[in-house]
Amino acid sequence: MENFTFYSPTFFSFGKGMENEAGKLAKRFGATKILIHYGCGSVVRSGLLDRVKKSLDEENLPFVELGGVQPNPRSGLVYKGIDLCKKENIDFVLAVGGGSVIDSAKAIAAGTCYDGDFWDFYSGKYIEEAIPIGTILTIAAAGSEGSPDSVITNEDGMYKRGASGDAIRPKFSILNPELTQTLPPYQTACGITDIMAHLYERYLTNTKEVEVTDRLIEALLLTMIHEGPRVIEDPNNYEARANIMWAGMMAHNNSVGVGRSQDWNSHDIEHELSAKYDCAHGAGLAVTLPAIFTYVMKHDVMRFAKVATRVWGCQMDFDNPEATAKAGIEALRNFYISIGMPKNFDELGAKKEDIPQLVDTLCDGNGRPGYINGFVKLDKNDCTKIYELMI
Ligand code: NZQ
Ligand code: ZN
């Protein structure tokens, strides 16, 4: 196991009705004037936004609102939010929605404390300072409610990049599984896919003997395989929603990723797809993961065979471990298909002729060195072949 530090100071409030505590929690974490940030209307339609405002009113906390965050959140609205926070002397951002809303809120919170262009953080600068953030999560997926990360699409070129810093870890996150019951099945499935991808990104490691985190990841993957189909079949299954929601947080606050190298090539490869085609991040991952795993499997066949046997119940073929590894990748692909995810470029809305441009932006764009590097170092030729496997 490698040396590590782990700092996850978010206060979690989990369960039915917890959103009514938003005002109390915001006050507890020092808010005096709040920006409520939300998406394209689901929280208005569900009545959640009104309940949150009522909760702030009860604590005499003034607020301004900024809605309109699109999935794959855009830089333009971030600039608008930063201007608004500076003009209104906002000292707390409350994100009400999914990963896109939370990521946009994080970018606004960091940009408000910074004199330069907020995009510097998405070009590699570490975020040292941000106004505090709270979240009320409405979809189990990105894990942004417990992570120090934010992903934004730059509208000038339409490419996606991430930024990081402990300063943007939410001060509190309210997780009420009931709030996810209004999700369309497709979005629920996208979330399940993303959570499992976050686990795989950590499972694919070059660090030896990390049994404790291996076993934790396997437990979370098994939970997703059990609960995913149950919630797709019955969207009102509270217990399944609850297990998925907490698994989503644990998958990405890095408690199961400490002390080991991680991959993240799959996310880099997918981010080009959701930036260019505006598809859901989870849907892009469903197409990406089986392709990249097939391509890199030979780097460590036994690791793929291990997840195949321990998680997917495949029989270990000691004479041919590659067959076992492949069976595990097929099981993952079939699971994604079974919950309604796309399986190839066509179903995702991506185009074969765009591959050279996708590869250029992926490997060279925004100062990248001509390759991406995770579990395996992948150059442009490798990335081209991986995209071709998705056709
Ligand atoms: O905008 P509204 O109207 O709210 O609708 C949203 C949106 O259309 C809808 N939705 C959310 N909760 C709902 C609901 N509809 C009905 N009922 C509800 N309860 O769902 C759609 C998708 O929302 P979005 O926030 O985009 O989903 P998700 O949480 O999957 O976030 C995806 C974004 O997170 C980034 C992705 O790249 C993508 O941009 N990621 C962020 C990470 C992080 N910060 O740590 C890590 C992830 O790997 C990921 O890259
Ligand atoms: Zn993700």
Side-chain angles (χ1 to χ4, degrees), residues 21-301:
E21 303 292 301
K24 282 198 181 73
L25 284 174
K27 198 168 232 180
R28 172 172 164 183
F29 287 98
T32 64
K33 190 170 184 190
I34 296 177
L35 174 72
I36 306 180
H37 201 36
Y38 59 94
C40 293
S42 72
V43 301
V44 179
R45 289 190 294 278
S46 67
L48 173 62
L49 188 64
D50 281 342
R51 293 208 297 286
V52 171
K53 287 193 218 169
K54 183 165 170 270
S55 161
L56 299 185
D57 284 340
E58 281 166 3
E59 298 298 323
N60 297 314
L61 278 171
F63 57 83
V64 293
E65 294 175 45
L66 180 63
V69 180
Q70 291 168 257
N72 305 316
R74 311 290 204 266
S75 49
L77 195 68
V78 173
Y79 288 113
K80 204 169 159 188
I82 293 169
D83 287 346
L84 188 62
C85 283
K86 287 182 175 167
K87 188 173 132 240
E88 296 280 343
N89 289 317
I90 298 294
D91 59 14
F92 198 95
V93 185
L94 182 57
V96 188
S100 295
V101 172
I102 299 173
D103 285 2
S104 183
K106 287 174 169 179
I108 291 170
T112 302
C113 297
Y114 183 60
D115 285 337
D117 184 344
F118 93 91
W119 193 256
D120 292 348
F121 299 123
Y122 294 77
S123 312
K125 190 178 169 69
Y126 187 78
I127 300 174
E128 299 282 358
E129 202 187 344
I131 55 176
I133 302 150
T135 84
I136 301 174
L137 186 65
T138 62
I139 171 172
S144 192
E145 66 277 13
S147 85
D149 309 313
S150 159
V151 182
I152 300 289
T153 300
N154 193 324
E155 281 162 302
D156 185 9
M158 292 309 275
Y159 59 94
K160 241 182 181 187
R161 290 293 182 265
S164 272
D166 283 326
I168 56 169
R169 281 188 187 266
K171 295 292 174 225
F172 69 81
S173 281
I174 296 175
L175 276 57
N176 174 358
E178 275 182 334
L179 299 178
T180 67
Q181 288 176 1
T182 53
L183 279 163
Y186 185 79
Q187 281 299 340
T188 298
C190 287
I192 291 166
T193 303
D194 192 19
I195 292 167
M196 293 172 75
H198 296 162
L199 294 164
Y200 265 95
E201 296 279 24
R202 291 178 167 90
Y203 201 79
L204 296 184
T205 185
N206 293 310
T207 312
K208 302 290 174 217
E209 304 216 39
V210 279
E211 191 67 4
V212 62
T213 38
D214 271 0
R215 290 291 188 182
L216 287 167
I217 295 171
E218 290 160 10
L220 290 168
L221 279 170
L222 285 163
T223 302
M224 297 307 295
I225 293 166
H226 176 68
E227 300 293 21
R230 291 211 310 155
V231 88
I232 294 295
E233 197 184 307
D234 175 11
N236 294 321
N237 185 331
Y238 178 86
E239 298 305 336
R241 292 252 182 221
N243 280 298
I244 289 174
M245 202 166 203
W246 194 241
M249 201 299 294
M250 299 225 299
H252 202 46
N253 84 331
N254 210 31
S255 47
V256 302
V258 293
R260 53 197 289 149
S261 72
Q262 302 181 8
D263 187 0
W264 299 100
N265 282 340
S266 305
H267 267 67
D268 285 344
I269 288 173
E270 189 295 311
H271 282 160
E272 299 309 325
L273 299 172
S274 48
K276 181 155 182 68
Y277 305 109
D278 208 13
C279 57
H281 169 61
L285 287 167
V287 176
T288 302
L289 261 57
I292 183 173
F293 293 171
T294 303
Y295 190 78
V296 303
M297 187 186 70
K298 289 208 171 91
H299 174 70
D300 188 349
V301 170

